[in-house]
Amino acid sequence: MQSPPGGHPPDLRSTAPGGPAAGEAPDALPDVAPRLRDLRRRRGLTLEAAAHRAGLSPAHLSRLETGRRQPSLPMLLGLARIYGTTVAELLGESAPEHDPVIRAGSREPSQADGWTYHQVGSPGRAMQTLRLIVPYGAQGELVRQHPGEEWLYVLDGRVRLGLGDTVHELGPGDSAHYDSLTPHRIAAATRDGAEMIFVHTLLQSPDIFHPHF
């Protein structure tokens, strides 16, 4: 779960009629293009290797790096994981001050595709921590695969965790820690749903810069 999960966020810039003409450099996010190129080079990745891992063509990534195409939010999320950084850094945002203590009830939960997300860690960190409420049947067939690591701990109910071709059923007190390059699915296995603590990294597993595929 990559960021955990659900749906496809909209592009940061509309491509509807009235947007920039073909070949015209967009005027939004002007600093993203050189930052994308610099991060890729710092990681020692060729244009072809980085594009392959991001699911893009080399030509498309080249256009993003030269400012001739505007990246969508899903593209930025994928490239941030590949380059071992955050979307905030790609956008040139200053790192926020982090309060080490998050008080109960200080943040409103959010919902997506039936799941309820309680943010129980600081934003902008390489490690993101959530308390998840997963209703029965929600997102159960959604398979995810992305760079990073994930860890989950079941608080209540039962969770069905698919890792590749293997399915594990976890109960309260059970946990799992896995490389999220492994295709994975998470679903509640009980009619009353499940609750768990979920941790995922925005950075790669230690050997991500060696080919896995």
Side-chain angles (χ1 to χ4, degrees), residues 30-107:
D31 296 329
V32 172
R35 197 170 289 115
L36 288 175
R37 183 181 59 249
D38 292 345
L39 283 169
R40 174 177 61 78
R41 289 175 176 174
R42 264 189 269 162
R43 289 300 185 184
L45 292 170
T46 65
L47 189 71
E48 290 74 15
H52 179 65
R53 292 178 184 182
L56 304 171
S57 69
H60 194 142
L61 181 56
S62 177
R63 286 192 288 270
L64 295 179
E65 291 187 354
T66 55
R68 287 179 290 150
R69 287 293 298 273
Q70 188 66 53
S72 66
L73 181 54
M75 287 179 190
L76 288 176
L77 287 168
L79 290 168
R81 293 189 184 104
I82 290 165
Y83 299 154
T85 186
T86 64
V87 171
E89 183 181 348
L90 287 181
L91 296 177
E93 296 175 0
S94 301
E97 293 295 325
H98 295 293
D99 188 338
V101 177
I102 294 92
R103 300 294 181 185
S106 63
R107 296 178 182 173

Side-chain angles (χ1 to χ4, degrees), residues 7-197:
H8 299 282
D11 283 358
L12 294 178
R13 180 183 175 87
S14 172
T15 56
E24 179 183 342
D27 56 4
L29 307 180
D31 296 329
V32 172
R35 197 170 289 115
L36 288 175
R37 183 181 59 249
D38 292 345
L39 283 169
R40 174 177 61 78
R41 289 175 176 174
R42 264 189 269 162
R43 289 300 185 184
L45 292 170
T46 65
L47 189 71
E48 290 74 15
H52 179 65
R53 292 178 184 182
L56 304 171
S57 69
H60 194 142
L61 181 56
S62 177
R63 286 192 288 270
L64 295 179
E65 291 187 354
T66 55
R68 287 179 290 150
R69 287 293 298 273
Q70 188 66 53
S72 66
L73 181 54
M75 287 179 190
L76 288 176
L77 287 168
L79 290 168
R81 293 189 184 104
I82 290 165
Y83 299 154
T85 186
T86 64
V87 171
E89 183 181 348
L90 287 181
L91 296 177
E93 296 175 0
S94 301
E97 293 295 325
H98 295 293
D99 188 338
V101 177
I102 294 92
R103 300 294 181 185
S106 63
R107 296 178 182 173
E108 291 294 323
S110 57
Q111 293 188 332
D113 292 346
W115 290 31
T116 301
Y117 302 87
H118 295 263
Q119 179 69 251
V120 292
S122 296
R125 297 287 196 184
M127 182 176 71
Q128 298 289 292
T129 308
L130 301 164
R131 180 166 64 90
L132 299 179
I133 311 296
V134 184
Y136 183 76
Q139 299 189 31
E141 299 306 314
L142 179 60
V143 178
R144 303 178 180 88
Q145 183 178 18
H146 51 86
E149 296 180 39
E150 295 182 352
W151 177 87
L152 62 86
Y153 180 92
V154 180
L155 297 171
D156 189 40
R158 300 191 69 81
V159 170
R160 184 173 295 111
L161 171 66
L163 295 174
D165 295 328
T166 304
V167 177
H168 307 270
E169 189 164 309
L170 310 177
D174 291 340
S175 61
H177 188 175
Y178 50 92
D179 189 321
S180 47
L181 278 172
T182 303
H184 52 283
R185 304 182 306 279
I186 298 175
T190 42
R191 291 282 177 182
D192 291 335
E195 181 177 0
M196 61 185 174
I197 297 295

